[in-house]
Amino acid sequence: MNSNTSSGDGVPAAAGEGRANQRRRTRRALIEAALALCEGGRKPSFPEVAERAMVSRATAYRYYSSVEDLISDAMFERAVPALESFCSPGQDDPAEMAARAARTMNKLLLDDEVGLHAVERSFMSAWLDNPQQSRPPRPARRMQYIGPIVDSLKGELTPAARRRLAHALATVMGTEAALSLRDVAGASVDEALAACGWAAQALVRQALAEARERSGKR
């Protein structure tokens, strides 16, 4: 197979992946710079953050529409606990782990709904204001939870089933899920957390039930 297969926009896949990795590193550099400067006890300016991250101010603005949005995202990054702090992948029930992960992620977001909306606005602005090939990637922090949970099911789910489950779990935790529960469904915070935990648990249980049903038919 040709390793330079096009990614669909005329860019070789390897080159496209390299650019995506570079954009992830740039976002990480901006977040780390903002956190380091905030440790001084004051809000840094965008030029200060960009200089510390060693990127231009124009580049910083492609990722965040304001320094406030960047700081909100950076503070959320700091607040996200490691999965291992509340779960033991490979030992705990995967369905319960998924429920805990969804509740943990979405509670952090709903604890600061103003910051949640500000960061989502910044993500949308970055998507709209940049051409497809240079749009900064979403942080995808939820996948740090979802990945190990889904991987713990290697002995029970096929690769395709695990991939589908990961995609499904991504819809019930994170900014879009929190906004949909609150702004669209009109759920209270407690209702939103209960619903996302229930949905995550149900998705894992359904994936396992389907796998066992297929196995029983062989």
Side-chain angles (χ1 to χ4, degrees), residues 103 107 110 182 187-197:
R103 290 193 298 264
K107 185 178 187 306
L110 294 174
R182 292 285 281 147
S188 69
V189 171
D190 287 344
E191 288 172 332
L193 296 176
C196 71

PDB file of all heavy atoms in Angstrom, residues 103 107 110 182 187-197:
ATOM      1  N   ARG A 103     -19.513  11.096  34.213  1.00  0.00           N
ATOM      2  CA  ARG A 103     -19.924  12.015  35.279  1.00  0.00           C
ATOM      3  C   ARG A 103     -18.780  12.927  35.698  1.00  0.00           C
ATOM      4  O   ARG A 103     -18.972  14.121  35.928  1.00  0.00           O
ATOM      5  CB  ARG A 103     -20.444  11.221  36.482  1.00  0.00           C
ATOM      6  CG  ARG A 103     -21.789  10.534  36.252  1.00  0.00           C
ATOM      7  CD  ARG A 103     -22.396  10.045  37.565  1.00  0.00           C
ATOM      8  NE  ARG A 103     -21.555   9.064  38.221  1.00  0.00           N
ATOM      9  CZ  ARG A 103     -21.708   7.740  38.118  1.00  0.00           C
ATOM     10  NH1 ARG A 103     -22.677   7.254  37.347  1.00  0.00           N
ATOM     11  NH2 ARG A 103     -20.913   6.908  38.760  1.00  0.00           N
ATOM     12  N   LYS A 107     -19.075  16.856  35.036  1.00  0.00           N
ATOM     13  CA  LYS A 107     -19.192  17.683  36.243  1.00  0.00           C
ATOM     14  C   LYS A 107     -18.171  18.803  36.224  1.00  0.00           C
ATOM     15  O   LYS A 107     -18.467  19.945  36.603  1.00  0.00           O
ATOM     16  CB  LYS A 107     -19.021  16.839  37.504  1.00  0.00           C
ATOM     17  CG  LYS A 107     -19.263  17.649  38.795  1.00  0.00           C
ATOM     18  CD  LYS A 107     -19.152  16.796  40.029  1.00  0.00           C
ATOM     19  CE  LYS A 107     -19.577  17.596  41.266  1.00  0.00           C
ATOM     20  NZ  LYS A 107     -18.858  18.868  41.438  1.00  0.00           N
ATOM     21  N   LEU A 110     -19.594  21.399  33.920  1.00  0.00           N
ATOM     22  CA  LEU A 110     -20.788  22.076  34.415  1.00  0.00           C
ATOM     23  C   LEU A 110     -20.537  22.858  35.687  1.00  0.00           C
ATOM     24  O   LEU A 110     -21.361  23.692  36.074  1.00  0.00           O
ATOM     25  CB  LEU A 110     -21.907  21.049  34.632  1.00  0.00           C
ATOM     26  CG  LEU A 110     -22.420  20.398  33.338  1.00  0.00           C
ATOM     27  CD1 LEU A 110     -23.419  19.300  33.652  1.00  0.00           C
ATOM     28  CD2 LEU A 110     -23.033  21.431  32.418  1.00  0.00           C
ATOM     29  N   ARG A 182     -27.891  20.519  29.060  1.00  0.00           N
ATOM     30  CA  ARG A 182     -28.345  21.720  29.769  1.00  0.00           C
ATOM     31  C   ARG A 182     -29.159  22.653  28.877  1.00  0.00           C
ATOM     32  O   ARG A 182     -30.269  23.063  29.226  1.00  0.00           O
ATOM     33  CB  ARG A 182     -27.144  22.478  30.335  1.00  0.00           C
ATOM     34  CG  ARG A 182     -26.443  21.757  31.451  1.00  0.00           C
ATOM     35  CD  ARG A 182     -27.229  21.804  32.764  1.00  0.00           C
ATOM     36  NE  ARG A 182     -27.045  23.100  33.399  1.00  0.00           N
ATOM     37  CZ  ARG A 182     -27.957  23.729  34.122  1.00  0.00           C
ATOM     38  NH1 ARG A 182     -29.159  23.200  34.257  1.00  0.00           N
ATOM     39  NH2 ARG A 182     -27.686  24.890  34.683  1.00  0.00           N
ATOM     40  N   ALA A 187     -32.002  19.926  31.207  1.00  0.00           N
ATOM     41  CA  ALA A 187     -31.752  19.152  32.425  1.00  0.00           C
ATOM     42  C   ALA A 187     -31.075  20.012  33.481  1.00  0.00           C
ATOM     43  O   ALA A 187     -30.293  20.913  33.159  1.00  0.00           O
ATOM     44  CB  ALA A 187     -30.870  17.946  32.103  1.00  0.00           C
ATOM     45  N   SER A 188     -31.386  19.744  34.735  1.00  0.00           N
ATOM     46  CA  SER A 188     -30.623  20.358  35.815  1.00  0.00           C
ATOM     47  C   SER A 188     -29.228  19.747  35.811  1.00  0.00           C
ATOM     48  O   SER A 188     -28.982  18.734  35.138  1.00  0.00           O
ATOM     49  CB  SER A 188     -31.295  20.102  37.166  1.00  0.00           C
ATOM     50  OG  SER A 188     -31.192  18.723  37.507  1.00  0.00           O
ATOM     51  N   VAL A 189     -28.306  20.314  36.575  1.00  0.00           N
ATOM     52  CA  VAL A 189     -26.955  19.757  36.627  1.00  0.00           C
ATOM     53  C   VAL A 189     -27.000  18.318  37.139  1.00  0.00           C
ATOM     54  O   VAL A 189     -26.360  17.420  36.576  1.00  0.00           O
ATOM     55  CB  VAL A 189     -26.034  20.623  37.502  1.00  0.00           C
ATOM     56  CG1 VAL A 189     -24.697  19.926  37.733  1.00  0.00           C
ATOM     57  CG2 VAL A 189     -25.803  21.982  36.841  1.00  0.00           C
ATOM     58  N   ASP A 190     -27.759  18.084  38.198  1.00  0.00           N
ATOM     59  CA  ASP A 190     -27.852  16.722  38.743  1.00  0.00           C
ATOM     60  C   ASP A 190     -28.462  15.763  37.722  1.00  0.00           C
ATOM     61  O   ASP A 190     -28.003  14.622  37.562  1.00  0.00           O
ATOM     62  CB  ASP A 190     -28.686  16.719  40.024  1.00  0.00           C
ATOM     63  CG  ASP A 190     -27.941  17.336  41.208  1.00  0.00           C
ATOM     64  OD1 ASP A 190     -26.705  17.481  41.117  1.00  0.00           O
ATOM     65  OD2 ASP A 190     -28.597  17.666  42.208  1.00  0.00           O
ATOM     66  N   GLU A 191     -29.498  16.209  37.030  1.00  0.00           N
ATOM     67  CA  GLU A 191     -30.117  15.366  36.008  1.00  0.00           C
ATOM     68  C   GLU A 191     -29.146  15.087  34.863  1.00  0.00           C
ATOM     69  O   GLU A 191     -29.101  13.974  34.327  1.00  0.00           O
ATOM     70  CB  GLU A 191     -31.372  16.041  35.458  1.00  0.00           C
ATOM     71  CG  GLU A 191     -32.544  16.058  36.420  1.00  0.00           C
ATOM     72  CD  GLU A 191     -33.703  16.895  35.911  1.00  0.00           C
ATOM     73  OE1 GLU A 191     -33.463  17.856  35.135  1.00  0.00           O
ATOM     74  OE2 GLU A 191     -34.845  16.593  36.288  1.00  0.00           O
ATOM     75  N   ALA A 192     -28.385  16.110  34.476  1.00  0.00           N
ATOM     76  CA  ALA A 192     -27.429  15.946  33.383  1.00  0.00           C
ATOM     77  C   ALA A 192     -26.369  14.914  33.735  1.00  0.00           C
ATOM     78  O   ALA A 192     -26.020  14.046  32.917  1.00  0.00           O
ATOM     79  CB  ALA A 192     -26.778  17.283  33.051  1.00  0.00           C
ATOM     80  N   LEU A 193     -25.853  14.985  34.948  1.00  0.00           N
ATOM     81  CA  LEU A 193     -24.816  14.039  35.365  1.00  0.00           C
ATOM     82  C   LEU A 193     -25.372  12.623  35.478  1.00  0.00           C
ATOM     83  O   LEU A 193     -24.711  11.654  35.103  1.00  0.00           O
ATOM     84  CB  LEU A 193     -24.203  14.491  36.691  1.00  0.00           C
ATOM     85  CG  LEU A 193     -23.452  15.825  36.643  1.00  0.00           C
ATOM     86  CD1 LEU A 193     -22.961  16.217  38.029  1.00  0.00           C
ATOM     87  CD2 LEU A 193     -22.297  15.768  35.660  1.00  0.00           C
ATOM     88  N   ALA A 194     -26.595  12.512  35.980  1.00  0.00           N
ATOM     89  CA  ALA A 194     -27.211  11.184  36.070  1.00  0.00           C
ATOM     90  C   ALA A 194     -27.447  10.607  34.677  1.00  0.00           C
ATOM     91  O   ALA A 194     -27.199   9.414  34.431  1.00  0.00           O
ATOM     92  CB  ALA A 194     -28.526  11.270  36.841  1.00  0.00           C
ATOM     93  N   ALA A 195     -27.907  11.437  33.757  1.00  0.00           N
ATOM     94  CA  ALA A 195     -28.215  10.962  32.402  1.00  0.00           C
ATOM     95  C   ALA A 195     -26.961  10.540  31.649  1.00  0.00           C
ATOM     96  O   ALA A 195     -26.947   9.493  30.985  1.00  0.00           O
ATOM     97  CB  ALA A 195     -28.950  12.054  31.623  1.00  0.00           C
ATOM     98  N   CYS A 196     -25.900  11.328  31.749  1.00  0.00           N
ATOM     99  CA  CYS A 196     -24.691  10.981  30.994  1.00  0.00           C
ATOM    100  C   CYS A 196     -24.056   9.717  31.567  1.00  0.00           C
ATOM    101  O   CYS A 196     -23.537   8.878  30.826  1.00  0.00           O
ATOM    102  CB  CYS A 196     -23.706  12.141  30.950  1.00  0.00           C
ATOM    103  SG  CYS A 196     -22.881  12.527  32.517  1.00  0.00           S
ATOM    104  N   GLY A 197     -24.096   9.551  32.903  1.00  0.00           N
ATOM    105  CA  GLY A 197     -23.562   8.335  33.495  1.00  0.00           C
ATOM    106  C   GLY A 197     -24.358   7.110  33.088  1.00  0.00           C
ATOM    107  O   GLY A 197     -23.792   6.066  32.729  1.00  0.00           O
TER     108      GLY A 197
END
